[in-house]
Amino acid sequence: MNKQLLLLFAAAAGAFGYWIPALVLLMLAFQGSDAPIDYKKVTKLGPEDDFDALIKGEGMTVVDFFTTWCPPCKMLAPKLADMSEEFQNVKFIAVDAEKFPSLASRYQVKCYPTIVFLVGSNRVSTIEGANVGKIKDTIQQHEDNNN
């Protein structure tokens, strides 16, 4: 079945509160889609990176806590990559929560994806789930408040 059709059915099922069928449809849509993601200007945290040094500064940092087995995480990653080019003054960091459990614990990550918005080292907002509109709105609101 067509991937876009599966995603449409998953969205409809989720909208009507049928979460388990929605998750099954998402899993089917992303089954076998382990194609590499073009992260563009998103820093994918590696073992040699110093997270605290990366978030230093006065601007906003958007941290995406994801797992490799999470279909909504896979769906969100390219959208965050596009946002990293759209919002030039915002840093984007992708953190594999299974490789960096201490960071996930520090920010009380309970589900995936979880997006944490930081200004310096201070958390200003958190979004649980792959809500692209909410993520953009939060970034835009921060930019509007600082201009």
Side-chain angles (χ1 to χ4, degrees), residues 1-13:
M1 190 178 277
N2 179 319
K3 181 177 179 178
Q4 290 177 328
L5 193 56
L6 285 170
L7 290 173
L8 178 67
F9 287 144

Side-chain angles (χ1 to χ4, degrees), residues 51-52 55-63 106-107 116-126 142:
F51 180 79
D52 292 320
I55 64 172
K56 223 175 198 173
E58 296 184 19
M60 175 176 265
T61 303
V62 176
V63 184
R106 183 196 306 182
Y107 293 102
V116 176
F117 299 87
L118 305 169
V119 175
S121 60
N122 300 318
R123 181 193 325 216
V124 293
S125 187
T126 301
H142 172 77

Side-chain angles (χ1 to χ4, degrees), residues 14-32:
F16 288 104
Y18 296 104
W19 297 110
I20 292 177
L23 288 173
V24 169
L25 289 167
L26 279 172
M27 287 170 55
L28 286 172
F30 287 100
Q31 184 176 14

